[in-house]
Amino acid sequence: MKLSSIILKIVEKMDGQRSLNASLHVLRGKRSGQTIQDVDYFSIKPFFSLLPKLQESTFLEAVNELNSHELIIEKQGIIYLTQKGRLASAQLPEFRFDGWNYRGQIETFNLRLLLLVQTLSQVRLSKNSFLPITNDRNVQQFIKELLRNLPATRQKTAALLAAELQSCIKQSEMSELQATVISHRLTGAEASGWTWEQLEEALEESRNSLQLELLEGLHRIIALSETTDYARKLPILHKLAEGIRIETPLTESTVITKKLFDQGLSIDEIAVVRKLRSSTIEDHITEIATNDKDFPILQFVELIDLEAVQDEVNRNEVKRLRLLKEKFPHLSYFQLRLILSTAKGERV
């Protein structure tokens, strides 16, 4: 799996509507009103916040690969797929990411799994004192609580976890490569997890590609183990997945704004109360509208304008704010963003 393939899929969704940076913002999980709206409107939630620490240099390297193979082209700052790019995108396998719902939490799950395996491995050999694989106190406390509340002995818990992992790997239908990366990264009492350098050499794949394989494998494990149906079949993994899924799509700051908005305060009034810029509150309102099918948009735009913009979007497939602004100069960018939030693409 290559980063360039993921970028290609995102560009396909936003073809001819957004700049290159829009894809980078999606992968990093930027919490701006525009990016939140793009994620929903273009149906690219699986890729949101997939790589929060993605370096721009790494991103541009992947983009250059797409350019060198003539899969994408840039015109006036906007990225388009070439015909060759469309064919290449159509041949890509289905990605099984869920970035929108797990944003920023995959590493937590990974550390929980690594520490639990390490702890059980040490305890099986009666080694109660060891250097934990992570210094994250929250993860350490989580594993302590989990082990304290499990009814089985440590020996039996180790065997149960091994069986659950084997079952989950099979049921999730992850690739053999993903299963290999996940298993070889685990650390036990008598065997340390493989480094990325070791995996690169053994599997003849780049580190970036292997890390993406690991990421999708973990997404598959969480998606399977968090479901109610598998709570009994995979009780330990089900526990490890607790709290990983984001319960509310809104940021903490937007939740506060929503409470004030629901009380009837205007944007300017909310800005004063919260001591924030009105533009920031507008971003929050756009985020709320994007995630609320019953959002009272007519508080902000006239029905005639709402229908006119939606008609323009549907007839000419125009989703670029600048072009819409030229067509409807009397509407603000904020109003246009709100209208776009009511004319979303297919749901993910």
Side-chain angles (χ1 to χ4, degrees):
M1 185 187 302
K2 293 184 176 181
L3 175 59
S4 58
S5 297
I6 294 174
I7 296 173
L8 183 65
K9 186 57 69 173
I10 295 174
V11 171
E12 179 191 40
K13 293 285 189 177
M14 300 193 294
D15 190 15
Q17 301 293 339
R18 294 292 183 266
S19 67
L20 189 61
N21 276 341
S23 298
L24 178 59
H25 295 332
V26 168
L27 289 168
R28 284 178 172 174
K30 185 177 181 180
R31 301 298 307 196
S32 70
Q34 183 63 65
T35 301
I36 295 296
Q37 181 175 297
D38 284 349
V39 166
D40 191 61
Y41 192 82
F42 293 106
S43 300
I44 46 180
K45 285 184 176 181
F47 307 110
F48 182 75
S49 197
L50 198 60
L51 301 166
K53 299 179 182 179
L54 178 61
Q55 296 292 322
E56 186 171 1
S57 58
T58 302
F59 175 79
L60 291 177
E61 183 180 337
V63 169
N64 288 336
E65 183 179 344
L66 294 174
N67 278 318
S68 66
H69 288 90
E70 300 180 338
L71 302 181
I72 61 173
I73 187 171
E74 185 174 3
K75 298 177 182 178
Q76 298 181 329
I78 303 301
I79 299 297
Y80 297 81
L81 239 62
T82 63
Q83 184 59 33
K84 188 177 179 181
R86 290 190 181 87
L87 292 174
S89 181
Q91 294 172 2
L92 289 174
E94 179 187 2
F95 293 117
R96 295 281 291 276
F97 295 115
D98 194 358
W100 179 259
N101 287 313
Y102 301 149
R103 63 197 110 134
Q105 298 295 311
I106 295 298
E107 182 59 17
T108 297
F109 177 83
N110 188 38
L111 290 176
R112 287 177 181 178
L113 177 61
L114 292 173
L115 183 56
L116 179 58
V117 169
Q118 181 192 28
T119 302
L120 291 173
S121 178
Q122 295 284 350
V123 171
R124 287 183 66 184
L125 298 179
S126 300
K127 296 181 179 180
N128 296 317
S129 179
F130 59 92
L131 184 65
I133 199 167
T134 175
N135 292 323
D136 190 314
R137 298 302 294 272
N138 290 329
V139 172
Q140 291 179 1
Q141 188 59 37
F142 182 92
I143 296 303
K144 286 180 181 178
E145 289 294 325
L146 185 149
L147 290 172
R148 187 178 296 122
N149 293 319
L150 288 175
T153 64
R154 298 293 181 265
Q155 297 283 347
K156 188 173 182 180
T157 297
L160 290 172
L161 177 59
E164 284 189 28
L165 281 171
Q166 291 175 345
S167 175
C168 193
I169 286 173
K170 181 179 180 180
Q171 295 296 323
S172 67
E173 300 180 344
M174 72 174 65
S175 68
E176 184 177 342
L177 177 58
Q178 290 171 350
T180 298
V181 175
I182 289 174
S183 61
H184 281 65
R185 288 291 290 174
L186 299 175
T187 288
E190 298 178 324
S192 297
W194 284 30
T195 65
W196 289 114
E197 289 78 9
Q198 290 174 314
L199 286 169
E200 281 182 300
E201 183 177 352
L203 300 174
E204 298 182 343
E205 292 275 357
S206 71
R207 176 182 302 196
N208 287 339
S209 294
L210 292 174
Q211 289 175 339
L212 287 171
E213 296 289 356
L214 172 67
L215 188 60
E216 188 181 59
L218 292 173
H219 274 245
R220 287 172 178 261
I221 289 177
I222 299 170
L224 189 65
S225 59
E226 71 174 351
T227 61
T228 304
D229 291 343
Y230 277 85
R232 291 184 178 180
K233 299 177 182 178
L234 306 170
I236 301 175
L237 289 175
H238 185 77
K239 286 286 186 182
L240 283 181
E242 282 186 0
I244 297 301
R245 174 177 287 271
I246 302 298
E247 295 301 326
T248 172
L250 304 179
T251 61
E252 291 183 11
S253 186
T254 300
V255 169
I256 297 173
T257 293
K258 186 177 187 304
K259 290 179 180 178
L260 296 172
F261 177 72
D262 289 343
Q263 293 172 16
L265 274 67
S266 68
I267 288 177
D268 289 338
E269 290 171 336
I270 295 173
V272 171
V273 171
R274 299 208 57 199
K275 298 180 180 179
L276 296 172
R277 293 180 300 177
S278 293
S279 60
T280 300
I281 304 303
E282 288 180 349
D283 277 350
H284 292 171
I285 297 298
T286 301
E287 185 178 345
I288 294 167
T290 299
N291 291 283
D292 183 1
K293 61 182 179 61
D294 297 319
F295 180 81
I297 190 171
L298 294 182
Q299 288 186 22
F300 299 93
V301 296
E302 298 292 334
L303 178 60
I304 188 172
D305 289 324
L306 173 66
E307 293 176 341
V309 174
Q310 288 180 335
D311 183 61
E312 176 70 15
V313 170
N314 294 331
R315 282 192 301 106
N316 299 318
E317 296 186 356
V318 177
K319 303 172 185 176
R320 290 171 56 187
L321 286 174
R322 183 176 63 80
L323 297 180
L324 289 173
K325 180 65 174 174
E326 292 175 357
K327 185 75 174 180
F328 304 96
H330 64 290
L331 296 177
S332 68
Y333 279 105
F334 169 59
Q335 289 173 309
L336 290 170
R337 283 164 54 199
L338 282 181
I339 294 173
L340 283 178
S341 72
T342 69
K344 303 166 186 173
E346 59 181 344
R347 289 292 181 179
V348 175

